Amino acid sequence: MDFLELSDYVLAGNVAKVAEGTKWMLEHGVEPLSIINEGLIPGMNTVGVLFKKGDMFVPEVMRCAKAMSGGVALIKPLIAERDIPSRGTVIIATVRGDLHDIGKNLVVMMLESQGFRVVDLGVNISPEQFVSAVEKHQPQVIGMSALLTTTMPGMSETIKALEEAKLRDQVKIMIGGAPVTAAFASQIGADGYAPDAGSAVELCGSFVA
Ligand code: B12
């Protein structure tokens, strides 16, 4: 088993083989973070490329994501055990009226694998729910996802609600999702936009640096 083979199993959406391969690597002393970064993530990156080109479809993408999460789940406890200092807390959710969560879940997975503590509020989250979560968890960063043009206004409503609650200045806000753009981010006063999960991690890192 090598990284290439593991990433091929992610691409094939083979849940059992990804789990088996991840376990094998851990037992043979492969560095846990390299299994994620050099095996699992490259597989998922290829999935993203094929999906964009229309060479892969949603049910397959979901199976690949499931295979990848299975591998990540085996590695996560080991990373926590080694007590890598957290790079900061991120609250993330899909905004009100929107139930799409595949992309958000990828962002969550990547952030966690890169050392962030993530509080995932789920989908269909109102501005008020964001505000109370910020009060409760005191994050450095908030991430909002929207896949529908009709739910994008929920992002600016959430920013307004944070302003009204006098919490806006305590957090950095990043947004994403297929219809979202950098121009939209600056228009609504978000701090940044990222087009994919990898860039979301970079953006988040720049916020807490
Ligand atoms: C899967 C899917 C569904 C699934 C969702 C399953 C789930 N659990 O998520 C189901 C079948 C439920 C669904 C329902 C609907 N859908 Co739909 N769906 C899609 C589809 C095919 C793929 C979305 C996806 O998962 N992409 C894969 C992921 C990996 O990509 P991603 O989400 O863009 O995420 C990446 C980046 O955007 C970024 N990112 C994402 N979130 C965040 C957050 C932050 C903070 C950052 C920094 C980055 C970031 O990183 C991610 C990873 O790289 C898209 C088509 C498309 N091309 O996008 C339509 C699409 C989004 N859906 C659409 C529609 C219309 C609907 C429905 C209204 C259909 C209906 N009539 O019922 C409903 C709405 C339900 C609701 N209220 O939300 C339209 C939206 C049109 C528009 N512009 O508004 C699309 C574009 C299809 C189309 N061409 O018409 N859908």
Side-chain angles (χ1 to χ4, degrees), residues 51 58 62 92 97-104 106-107 143-145 147-150 174-178 194-197 200:
F51 181 71
V58 172
M62 292 178 82
I92 192 165
D98 202 320
L99 304 176
H100 295 86
D101 68 355
I102 299 174
K104 168 191 67 71
L106 286 179
V107 174
M144 289 189 270
S145 182
L147 266 285
L148 300 170
T149 44
T150 49
M174 63 173 182
I175 63 174
D196 56 58

Side-chain angles (χ1 to χ4, degrees), residues 71-101:
V72 172
L74 291 168
I75 293 167
K76 226 189 217 171
L78 300 171
I79 295 175
E81 233 170 62
R82 293 191 318 173
D83 213 20
I84 292 176
S86 168
R87 293 171 72 186
T89 299
V90 183
I91 285 183
I92 192 165
T94 304
V95 297
R96 182 161 60 193
D98 202 320
L99 304 176
H100 295 86
D101 68 355

Side-chain angles (χ1 to χ4, degrees), residues 66-199:
K66 192 176 167 204
M68 169 157 172
S69 334
V72 172
L74 291 168
I75 293 167
K76 226 189 217 171
L78 300 171
I79 295 175
E81 233 170 62
R82 293 191 318 173
D83 213 20
I84 292 176
S86 168
R87 293 171 72 186
T89 299
V90 183
I91 285 183
I92 192 165
T94 304
V95 297
R96 182 161 60 193
D98 202 320
L99 304 176
H100 295 86
D101 68 355
I102 299 174
K104 168 191 67 71
N105 292 345
L106 286 179
V107 174
V108 169
M109 225 185 281
M110 296 282 242
L111 285 170
E112 285 181 336
S113 71
Q114 302 294 317
F116 290 94
R117 186 173 89 90
V118 182
V119 181
D120 183 358
L121 304 178
V123 297
N124 190 22
I125 296 303
S126 67
E128 298 72 33
Q129 287 171 297
F130 270 104
V131 167
S132 44
V134 170
E135 282 164 347
K136 184 169 171 205
H137 299 286
Q138 303 288 322
Q140 284 75 49
V141 182
I142 296 177
M144 289 189 270
S145 182
L147 266 285
L148 300 170
T149 44
T150 49
T151 56
M152 284 166 65
M155 295 177 156
S156 65
E157 285 157 22
T158 301
I159 294 177
K160 282 192 197 111
L162 289 165
E163 279 164 1
E164 276 159 26
K166 309 245 176 301
L167 293 168
R168 174 65 185 94
D169 296 339
Q170 297 178 22
V171 292
K172 292 285 188 187
I173 298 175
M174 63 173 182
I175 63 174
V180 177
T181 60
F184 180 72
S186 62
Q187 185 191 321
I188 66 168
D191 298 297
Y193 152 80
D196 56 58
S199 342

